[in-house]
Amino acid sequence: METVTIKVEGMSCQHCINSIEGSVGKLEGVSTVKVDLDRGTVNIDFDPEKVTKDKMKDAIEDQGYDVL
């Protein structure tokens, strides 16, 4: 397992948290997703053999947020 922290712009509320944690959490190989609104980050624990960082970033962007 690996952990990545992704900087995300545009998150401001509980809906943002649910949206991102839900979409990224559904990806095969992702074990945990934690949004930190104060820091503007998303911390993800994942299996690099099953999911790529780009796929996780795409899942966040598909929800309407900007990955920095």
Side-chain angles (χ1 to χ4, degrees), residues 19-38:
S19 176
I20 291 173
E21 289 183 354
S23 65
V24 176
K26 289 180 184 174
L27 296 173
E28 182 181 354
V30 172
S31 62
T32 59
V33 182
K34 182 69 178 154
V35 172
D36 186 329
L37 292 179
D38 293 334

Side-chain angles (χ1 to χ4, degrees), residues 6-64:
I6 300 173
K7 291 284 286 176
V8 179
E9 193 171 76
M11 302 183 301
S12 61
C13 63
Q14 188 62 45
H15 171 75
C16 301
I17 294 170
N18 294 342
S19 176
I20 291 173
E21 289 183 354
S23 65
V24 176
K26 289 180 184 174
L27 296 173
E28 182 181 354
V30 172
S31 62
T32 59
V33 182
K34 182 69 178 154
V35 172
D36 186 329
L37 292 179
D38 293 334
R39 290 191 169 103
T41 60
V42 179
N43 295 309
I44 306 166
D45 295 323
F46 67 101
D47 182 344
E49 294 183 15
K50 294 184 178 177
V51 65
T52 64
K53 292 176 187 174
D54 285 339
K55 188 155 186 138
M56 293 182 284
K57 289 177 183 179
D58 288 345
I60 294 169
E61 289 175 339
D62 286 348
Q63 296 302 310

